[in-house]
Amino acid sequence: MNQILKIAIAQINLHLGAIDKNVAAIRAARAKATALGADLVVTPELSISGYPPEDLVLKPAFVTACEEAAETLAQDTADGGPALIIGTPWNNAGRLHNAAYLLDGGEITARRAKVELPNYGVFDEKRVFVAGEPTGPIMFRGFRLGLMICEDWWLPDVSACLAETGAEVLLSINGSPFEDGKQPRRIHLATQRVLETGLPYIFAAMVCGQDEVAFDGASFILNADRSLAVQMPQFAEAVTLTQWTRTPQGLTCTPQPIAPPPDRLELIYQAMMWGLRDYVNKNGFPGVVLGLSGGIDSAISAAVAADALGPERVRAVMLPSPYTSAHSLEDAEACAKMLGIPYETIPIAGAMEAFGAALAPAFAGRAPDITEENIQSRSRGLILMAISNKFGPMLLTTGNKSEMSVGYATLYGDMCGGYSVLKDIYKTTVFELSWWRNASHPAGALTQPGPAMPERIITKPPSAELKPNQTDQDSLPPYDVLDAILAHLIEGEHAVDDIVADGYDRATVLKVVRLLDRAEYKRRQAPPGVKITSRAFGRDRRYPLTNGFTNLIK
């Protein structure tokens, strides 16, 4: 009986729906693993199709193409090299499963269907897949592998069944989205499974951006003594060879050096970079255009774009109005120079005058109000969308989660665009990220090292500059207060009385509740953006537009 097993974990970037590209990525990973001497190469969840496929798997032609690709990869393993574990949709006599296949010796030698289908947050697998039944381990060259798929290990039943039926190791392929603080929770939960079963555990994950989620990789291995034997990087592709030895105490993975975990802000910034880069590149955009106002939101958005795509693929446009301050003009230009991105100025005063003249008869007898402020924002949106239409770059939206929570954004104005890296970033985190980026250069960034923006952009009071001497705090609570209340309401779903009991002014809390509830219709029309927190707007938080319930009392 074999006593040594060499398993390579392929932490790869998958392109949802691009089956040929995914097959090529799997083949490239297998080639690297072959050179390392692997017996088995483990790829992520749904590595053939990409994840999450949503209703794409309801197309019979797509599922058939995935099955054909699996057969093709199986034939590759007839070359005497390492076997493969892949993820693919499986049409099992009319029952569509999220499945894992073992490919070895030119054949598909085992199939396992996902048992626990997540149906919360960004997940809705019960909509498209049928759950499998718990089964025993798969046999591979004398070893009994407890093969699971993501959610199967988040709950105890599947791993317990595998342990009871003789598995020597728990091996999970995953499509696990990034979330602030999630990796420690993964390891804590995996430790519970190891403690319950007495078996070592392998977490094999993907790294990519996919619409509103980023997958951070961070594959790892726990030995049966619950020690961390292997920790692969977050937000980096890698193929890592692990060596397992069968001992009287069971299978044990030879420990590898463990690098210190990345800084929290670095991980958030990487999620923003990966989300934007893969969205732009996989959808075929030549680059992005954005309005660079001299404020902090557009500055950090420009930095993420330049770091992710390269400065030459980012076009910055300053769109001054008569209310734009001299320091905003100076700061926007300085920011563009620091990032090395193309920069131009297109004043909107003429557009404001044209709209004012066109609407003068209809607005006769009415004093100027927020309508005229919104016209400024929509004039900017119109110009930026025109540039996008004419030259092809995607318009990058620059609003943050705090503003979108309370409706401090203009439909068809500053909300125009195809993607937002700040959609799930509170304003207080925007400040933290800006300080961090000025002091750090992200791994994989395509810019030159150095600060991304003038310090004055971070330190000056935020302002939309839609009227003289305007600041955000004219109409909003201080951002540290606002964001804390919003976190209670959005991530925590806490009642008003509970928030007040936590030390916040009742009138302020009630104001924020009203603003949050009233702005749902705006958020429904907002562009996608990468998930960072435990509850992002969109797939994570689905509120009705027409809603008679109020949270003002309890």
Side-chain angles (χ1 to χ4, degrees):
M1 181 179 289
N2 293 334
Q3 302 301 315
I4 302 292
L5 178 62
K6 296 181 179 180
I7 300 176
I9 301 175
Q11 186 169 286
I12 54 179
N13 187 336
L14 301 171
H15 187 163
L16 202 152
I19 298 171
D20 290 346
K21 291 182 179 179
N22 293 337
V23 168
I26 293 169
R27 282 176 166 157
R30 183 172 183 264
K32 292 179 182 178
T34 300
L36 295 171
D39 301 307
L40 175 65
V41 184
V42 181
T43 69
E45 180 176 8
L46 291 180
S47 52
I48 295 292
S49 63
Y51 185 84
E54 304 185 73
D55 286 7
L56 189 58
V57 293
L58 299 182
K59 288 184 176 292
F62 180 71
V63 176
T64 298
C66 290
E67 289 279 7
E68 290 172 351
E71 294 282 357
T72 298
L73 284 172
Q75 293 167 17
D76 289 357
T77 63
D79 62 4
L84 277 167
I85 288 177
I86 62 166
T88 184
W90 172 26
N91 185 350
N92 180 17
R95 294 166 60 86
L96 185 62
H97 298 298
N98 178 341
Y101 289 7
L102 174 63
L103 315 179
D104 192 20
E107 299 178 346
I108 300 173
T109 59
R111 293 178 173 89
R112 290 293 184 269
K114 190 172 185 177
V115 177
E116 304 286 359
L117 300 179
N119 204 55
Y120 57 86
V122 298
F123 306 105
D124 51 8
E125 289 192 35
K126 290 183 179 180
R127 173 183 172 87
V128 294
F129 290 119
V130 176
E133 296 293 332
T135 55
I138 61 174
M139 293 300 300
F140 174 69
R141 302 182 187 180
F143 294 91
R144 300 183 301 277
L145 309 180
L147 185 56
M148 301 184 288
I149 304 173
C150 206
E151 193 78 5
D152 288 345
W153 71 273
W154 285 80
L155 301 170
D157 291 352
V158 176
S159 55
C161 176
L162 289 166
E164 291 166 2
T165 51
E168 296 178 271
V169 60
L170 302 175
L171 193 168
S172 176
I173 63 173
N174 300 273
S176 181
F178 171 79
E179 188 178 294
D180 185 15
K182 190 170 186 178
Q183 181 66 0
R185 298 203 302 274
R186 290 178 182 137
I187 292 178
H188 174 75
L189 189 61
T191 302
Q192 288 183 254
R193 299 290 91 87
V194 172
L195 184 63
E196 293 160 0
T197 63
L199 298 176
Y201 172 74
I202 303 172
F203 174 87
M206 68 183 71
V207 56
C208 63
Q210 174 55 43
D211 294 348
E212 294 183 281
V213 291
F215 297 92
D216 56 323
S219 304
F220 64 90
I221 293 173
L222 296 180
N223 269 323
D225 63 0
R226 303 186 296 283
S227 63
L228 184 64
V230 175
Q231 176 63 74
M232 293 176 65
Q234 287 183 269
F235 290 111
E237 292 189 81
V239 176
T240 296
L241 183 70
T242 68
Q243 180 164 305
W244 295 77
T245 303
R246 181 181 275 134
T247 70
Q249 290 74 41
L251 277 181
T252 300
C253 180
T254 301
Q256 300 182 10
I258 306 294
D263 175 85
R264 168 182 172 261
L265 292 173
E266 180 180 359
L267 289 175
I268 292 174
Y269 198 90
Q270 286 288 342
M272 295 159 67
M273 282 176 58
W274 276 77
L276 178 64
R277 181 195 296 127
D278 275 5
Y279 191 83
V280 169
N281 289 344
K282 292 176 181 179
N283 284 295
F285 291 106
V288 299
V289 61
L290 79 160
L292 194 62
S293 67
I296 193 169
D297 294 328
S298 63
I300 194 67
S301 295
V304 171
D307 288 336
L309 303 173
E312 72 283 355
R313 297 179 67 193
V314 181
R315 182 174 181 175
V317 185
M318 161 53 91
L319 299 143
S321 78
Y323 307 119
T324 300
S325 64
H327 63 73
S328 290
L329 293 167
E330 295 165 3
D331 291 344
E333 184 174 7
C335 179
K337 287 181 178 178
M338 294 167 80
L339 291 170
I341 60 178
Y343 175 81
E344 63 197 285
T345 299
I346 303 178
I348 66 166
M352 292 168 60
E353 293 170 3
F355 278 116
L359 291 167
F363 287 0
R366 298 272 185 166
D369 55 19
I370 195 172
T371 305
E372 283 71 21
E373 295 181 26
N374 287 341
I375 286 174
Q376 295 175 54
S377 180
R378 290 179 177 131
S379 297
R380 293 185 170 109
L382 180 66
I383 291 169
L384 290 169
M385 283 303 304
I387 292 172
S388 176
N389 291 160
K390 183 66 71 173
F391 299 102
M394 183 195 74
L395 175 55
L396 185 63
T397 313
T398 60
N400 61 67
K401 187 173 186 176
S402 305
E403 294 172 348
M404 288 308 306
S405 296
V406 295
Y408 201 74
T410 304
L411 279 172
Y412 327 120
D414 56 342
M415 287 177 64
C416 284
Y419 201 81
S420 172
V421 294
L422 298 183
K423 182 174 182 177
D424 199 29
I425 303 287
Y426 285 117
K427 187 76 168 193
T428 47
T429 308
V430 170
F431 284 109
E432 292 179 289
L433 287 167
S434 299
W435 285 117
W436 177 87
R437 177 58 185 84
N438 263 9
S440 310
H441 195 242
L446 300 177
T447 52
Q448 294 297 315
M453 66 191 76
E455 187 172 310
R456 183 169 63 178
I457 286 181
I458 310 175
T459 58
K460 66 185 178 183
S463 172
E465 294 191 329
L466 298 174
K467 61 183 179 181
N469 303 314
Q470 183 183 36
T471 69
D472 290 3
Q473 266 57 69
D474 294 341
S475 52
L476 293 175
Y479 278 116
D480 57 340
V481 175
L482 175 64
D483 288 354
I485 294 172
L486 288 172
H488 274 290
L489 292 168
I490 297 167
E491 281 81 13
E493 285 288 3
H494 296 152
V496 167
D497 287 348
D498 295 331
I499 303 172
V500 172
D502 200 35
Y504 295 93
D505 172 68
R506 178 176 291 275
T508 302
V509 174
L510 293 176
K511 176 181 179 179
V512 174
V513 169
R514 292 188 186 97
L515 291 172
L516 177 66
D517 288 349
R518 283 169 47 190
E520 188 63 37
Y521 76 101
K522 287 188 178 182
R523 291 189 291 271
R524 190 70 68 91
Q525 299 180 64
V530 64
K531 170 183 167 66
I532 301 294
T533 69
S534 62
R535 201 153 188 231
F537 291 130
R539 293 166 62 92
D540 262 345
R541 186 180 187 272
R542 310 179 194 186
Y543 269 65
L545 297 178
T546 305
N547 173 19
F549 179 77
T550 178
N551 190 33
L552 296 184
I553 305 301
K554 297 294 182 182

